[in-house]
């Protein structure tokens, strides 16, 4: 995908540029604490959302922000998702980085923290106190330390299912464990329906499906949430027998024809799911509204049933947000945009777009969210997204090897061994 400027006016007015530069100089010299207000100038935001609802929501935020602060012009740039972080790093090195950029929480913002400014001194503490998930955006996951991004939304990794297709196959409810999933696959195949559809989606993180939606639930079905740090610090080996067995059950879904045959080459799964070409897909809640607009009450959501007993974990965390680059010479306007994003008006825009606001007190509007957000009241434990809490280099390795194992192009043992090898080769300081 080539770089595409997705929005907004061509050449921003420069009439207040001197005032902006003066403000930036003062800002940089003496610092600034408190609720940010926009001044004037240009602002560039990079994202890797592709054509997902997040991109639509971000553009809606920008439109509203520019209407509120007409002296600030914002260029929103959609970058290719498959090498987004490399592009961001290269841009920072060549002094061409944006002012703000979408960044993933957890290990990712820590990995790139050398490029990111601590936004805590720039934003009102009263606003930040209302935001969910700041732990995952803070230095050492400690909210008393530097804060490297402001969460964009609360998120779920989740399964979607077509209620009408399950009913047609004689299935009363979404599966809750491996056994029920196997039974559902058998009935759906007998009815001529593809049970699960894998392939790339509209974010296009790669040309293949993203395996960490599944892996997050594979570990949730195996380990208590408190054990997950063991996958990062080495207390749990990626080659541990119980994990190999669990991942093998997942890979067997393809081998047993529970999925489409072309799992590595299929694309645009959202459109195909909307068209009724499969009963279930694995994705993120940020696509919920897009699917709901097509399927309406036939759309269901469910925690992936990768457990020997009914699954009692759900993967939920603010998985990304906007970071301020250290190199930005327009930090005041960037802080003003982040302040607007956290405001009531900003949160309502995100909710209207179909996302889950990350600020306490603001509700999601889609009726399906009530069921998802109510899972914790039903005894479900919240799990973090596993790709956000393990080392990014291990994620890079798993992005190819797990897919290969799922497609029977590599054994599960070999795939996990390569992830373990990557972990083994990490510097000691990163093995935590």
């Amino acid at each position: 995908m080539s770089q595409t400027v997705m929005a907004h006016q061509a050449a921003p007015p420069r009439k207040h540029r001197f005032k902006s530069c003066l403000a930036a100089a003062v800002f940089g010299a003496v610092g600034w604490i408190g609720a940010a207000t926009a001044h004037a100038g240009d602002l560039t935001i990079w994202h890797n959302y592709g054509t997902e609802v997040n991109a639509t929501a971000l553009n809606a935020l920008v439109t509203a922000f520019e209407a509120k602060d007409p002296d600030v012009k914002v260029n929103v740039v959609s970058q290719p998702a498959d090498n987004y972080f490399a592009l961001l790093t290269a841009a920072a090195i060549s002094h061409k980085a944006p002012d703000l950029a979408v960044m993933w929480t957890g290990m990712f913002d820590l990995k790139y923290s050398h490029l990111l400014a601590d936004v805590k001194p720039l934003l009102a503490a009263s606003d930040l106190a209302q935001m969910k998930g700041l732990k995952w955006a803070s230095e050492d996951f400690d909210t008393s330390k530097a804060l490297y991004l402001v969460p964009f939304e609360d998120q779920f990794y989740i399964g979607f299912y077509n209620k009408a297709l399950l009913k047609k196959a004689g299935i009363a409810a979404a599966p809750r464990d491996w056994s029920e999933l196997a039974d559902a696959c058998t009935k759906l195949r007998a009815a001529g329906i593809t049970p699960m559809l894998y392939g790339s989606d509209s974010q296009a993180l790669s040309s293949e499906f993203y395996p960490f939606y599944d892996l997050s639930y594979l570990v949730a079905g195996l380990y208590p949430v408190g054990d997950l740090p063991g996958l990062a610090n080495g207390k749990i080996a990626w080659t541990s027998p119980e994990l190999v067995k669990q991942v093998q059950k997942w890979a067997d879904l393809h081998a047993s024809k529970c999925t489409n045959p072309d799992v590595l080459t299929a694309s645009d799964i959202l459109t195909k799911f909307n068209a009724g070409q499969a009963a279930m897909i694995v994705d993120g809640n940020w696509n919920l509204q897009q699917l709901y607009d097509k399927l309406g009450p036939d759309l269901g959501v469910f925690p992936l049933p990768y457990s020997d007993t009914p699954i009692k974990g759900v993967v939920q965390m603010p998985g990304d947000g906007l970071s301020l680059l250290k190199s930005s010479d327009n930090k005041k306007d960037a802080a003003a945009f982040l302040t607007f994003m956290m405001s009531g008006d900003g949160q309502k825009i995100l909710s209207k777009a179909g996302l889950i606001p990350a600020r306490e007190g603001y509700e999601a509007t889609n009726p399906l969210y009530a069921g998802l957000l109510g899972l914790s009241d039903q005894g479900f434990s919240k799990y973090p997204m596993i790709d956000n809490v393990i080392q990014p280099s291990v994620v890079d390795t798993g992005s190819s090897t797990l897919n290969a194992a799922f497609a029977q192009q590599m054994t599960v043992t070999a795939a996990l061994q390569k992830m373990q090898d990557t972990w083994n080769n990490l510097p000691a300081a990163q093995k935590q």
Side-chain angles (χ1 to χ4, degrees), residues 274 289-296:
N274 275 336
Q289 190 63 46
Q290 178 182 349
L291 298 174
Y292 188 81
D293 288 343
K294 293 289 185 181
L295 295 176

Side-chain angles (χ1 to χ4, degrees), residues 14 96 168 223 230 269 275 323 427:
R14 314 289 292 186
K96 296 180 180 178
K168 181 180 178 181
Y223 302 114
I269 63 167
S323 290

